[in-house]
Amino acid sequence: MKIVTYNVNGLRQRISQFGSLRKLLDSFDADIICFQETKLRRQELKSDLVLADGYESFFSCTRTSDKGRTGYSGVATFCRVKSAFSSDEVALPVAAEDGFTGVLDTSGSKIAEGLEEFAKDELCRVDGEGRCIITDHGHFILFNIYGPRAASDDVDRIQFKLMFFKILQKRWEFLLCQKRRIFVVGDLNIAPAAIDRCEAEPDFEKNEFRRWFRSMLVESCGSFLDVFRAKHPERRDAYTCWPSNTGAEQFNYGTRIDHILCGGPCFHQKHDLEGHNFVTCHVKECDILVEYKRWKPGNTPRTRWKGGMNIKLEGSDHAPVYMSFGEVPVIPQHSTPSLASRYLPMICGLQQTLVSVLMRREVAKEAKSYEALSSLTTQSMKMESFSECAERSFNCHEPGISPGDHCSFANQEPKGEMWKMHENHRDLPNEAVCNTTITAGSCKQINLIPSDRAKKKARKIQSSQLSLRSFFQKSPNPRHDVDNLVTDTSLHQADVPESPHRKTPVTDYNNCHAELHDVNSSGCSQDQDEQDGNCSLDKEKNNVALLEWQRIRQLMENSIPLCKGHKEPCVARVVKKPGPTFGRRFYVCARAEGPASNSEANCGYFKWASSKSKHKK
């Protein structure tokens, strides 16, 4: 059996990186895959994020909005199985639990055994951030943990982290007393020893979380084994996490905070032999999957990190850790626990009654009848609107229009020469033809109804987001657009067939087209002068803006200092931590963070940006 733990730093991003959830899970080739920091709220658990063929999943999400932590953490456990029902596979859990205190149990919110000494509000607080999912696999209980992070000066989070691990330890101790075997995997946010950090911080050995971690290990008379250190006791530079804002991954300048711990007896407990433990008896491998790192060997020279905050490496800032072991006995047949994602209401939906199905069917029939009636009504209104438009356009007594002119439709036999409607007006009957005399005056009276497609297209153009380039392009001439509109709605000579009996429509059309052409020609000459003036004015404004921008850039480049280690321009940063220096700018070396012994790494240069006083003396 193979177990993998991985802080994905956003499950949605990792799924997008691999193409699908199934491809992401298959890439590990593991039986149980534990994710931390999924960053998903419960209402965001959709099928493409939680379901994959051949896997059963269990999620724990953040339930609190304290300090903007909604959708901040979250854990998920995926189990690869052949069948979700009546299966004897060890990977399929026989039971599952959201959190580790028991207060999130929907069946009764009963506090877990061994935690009766804690107040319920404390238990609700530690389980409210979605940091643990427990799956019971018969031969072992698997804790998928995302430990809280606490800055050295954040007193509230330090106290929360201490309470989190204190309650967790009590739960472990109770299970161990019950002779249960426990696996703890995940990002605990604790580097247990100096060898697990790129650089020891001040008072490293006095850190209370490290003291707690070591107290849990067998070497300190505890009950757990750090599987990686048991297999690689002297390996250095074995890190699983790197800062994402300093480029430290380039020089493997990180920490080992993703762990796999084992507690309880091995499968040979009946023999009760001295020196037997689960790691030495059953664990075959335990290592870091470095192929999932963002920085791959060989890509450093051409993609060197130069302090750019906009550099986005593909992948998480953590690397997965795996453990494989054998000699696992079979377990009785069982089915997927009710906590599985397949049973979530947002995935499978709510149970339906027969009455609701019949009511939905009646509503669907009524909807279809209403759509048919609406379609007939709309078509009738369009026909009436076209008839009124045609009557207003050709039967009104205005100069240039003969009182005897009229318009005939398909129900009347066409006489003489015909002209068809413009191809863009597709909402009008295609059979509509007209044999009336057309003059310049009548051309201006044509008022065709725009099609639904044209309306949608116009709304889309108006609501679409403008690009940055559109602000620098020459603005269109409104008069030119009007002329184009008149030209498009006018009749083309090719569309009017010549009749041997009647020459008037063609002759009148030519006169109308000539008049419009004269108007357009006179308007174009005026518009051309206006466009030339506007163009020269725009060019002058662009040149002024370009010169001003170049001047600002030159001032900025001259004000940026050079770091003392490499004599290269520094990068500017802003203090975001609340305090007396909040919002103040400073300069640091642009190189990636690395060990002090490496001359290619960050030289540690730091300088505050000069701040001029607003009040002149």
Side-chain angles (χ1 to χ4, degrees), residues 518-539:
D518 294 338
V519 173
N520 290 339
S521 299
S522 60
C524 287
S525 61
Q526 298 177 4
D527 293 342
Q528 187 65 32
D529 296 338
E530 294 179 3
Q531 291 178 6
D532 293 341
N534 293 336
C535 183
S536 60
L537 183 60
D538 292 341
K539 287 183 179 180

Side-chain angles (χ1 to χ4, degrees), residues 392-403 439 441-442 444-445:
R392 286 197 307 268
S393 301
F394 299 104
N395 292 338
C396 58
H397 299 280
E398 286 187 327
I401 302 180
S402 174
T439 64
S442 63
K444 296 180 182 179
Q445 297 295 328

Side-chain angles (χ1 to χ4, degrees), residues 1 14 71 82 105 116 119 133 149 242 264 279-280 289 343 390 461 484 499 508 549 568 608 610:
M1 175 170 283
R14 298 291 78 76
K82 296 178 181 178
D105 184 11
E116 293 82 4
I133 194 79
R149 181 181 178 273
W242 302 265
V279 176
T280 56
L289 296 173
Y343 300 122
I461 293 174
N484 290 338
S499 173
D508 291 342
W549 175 241
E568 297 176 350
W608 288 108
S610 59

Side-chain angles (χ1 to χ4, degrees), residues 258-298:
D258 301 87
H259 305 284
I260 297 180
L261 309 179
C262 292
C266 66
F267 295 139
H268 306 148
Q269 71 270 22
K270 293 183 179 180
H271 303 286
D272 196 20
L273 299 176
E274 185 179 355
H276 272 232
N277 59 61
F278 187 86
V279 176
T280 56
C281 293
H282 304 291
V283 176
K284 300 178 180 179
E285 293 180 283
C286 182
D287 213 335
I288 303 170
L289 296 173
V290 293
E291 59 267 26
Y292 287 82
K293 290 175 59 177
R294 296 171 299 176
W295 285 95
K296 304 296 189 301

Side-chain angles (χ1 to χ4, degrees), residues 163-179:
M163 182 173 60
F164 180 90
F165 284 113
K166 181 181 179 181
I167 298 174
L168 191 59
Q169 181 180 353
K170 287 290 184 179
R171 181 71 190 274
W172 290 342
E173 290 175 350
F174 179 84
L175 293 174
L176 290 174
C177 291
Q178 302 296 318
K179 303 298 182 181

